[in-house]
Amino acid sequence: GVQTCALPISTLDRLSAEQRDVLVLRIVGGFTVAEVAAVVDRSEGAVKALQRRGLESVRRIFSAEGVTP
């Protein structure tokens, strides 16, 4: 429903633009690390770090909001 969609969008809005771009391309778009690196003009290592930090941020936000897996 609407609530289910609102939380991830509000969560994504709280990430840096680079983290958001990487997570959307990797998870939603299904792009490989190499493909994302080419799109965002960053190294593959930078993409992996952005993805890791973005996911850690999402987990912290979810935990603070009481969302559990």
Side-chain angles (χ1 to χ4, degrees):
V2 173
Q3 264 186 320
T4 304
C5 293
L7 181 59
I9 292 169
S10 67
T11 300
L12 288 174
D13 285 343
R14 294 164 67 179
L15 302 176
S16 74
E18 286 185 316
Q19 290 173 348
R20 184 174 51 248
D21 290 347
V22 167
L23 289 181
V24 168
L25 289 169
R26 288 282 292 138
I27 295 168
V28 179
F31 285 58
T32 66
V33 170
E35 290 168 335
V36 173
V39 170
V40 299
D41 196 29
R42 298 293 299 263
S43 70
E44 290 184 29
V47 167
K48 290 176 185 178
L50 286 163
Q51 179 177 334
R52 185 183 68 253
R53 287 195 304 265
L55 288 173
E56 288 169 355
S57 293
V58 168
R59 286 185 193 104
R60 276 195 307 275
I61 293 165
F62 279 3
S63 178
E65 305 233 347
V67 176
T68 56

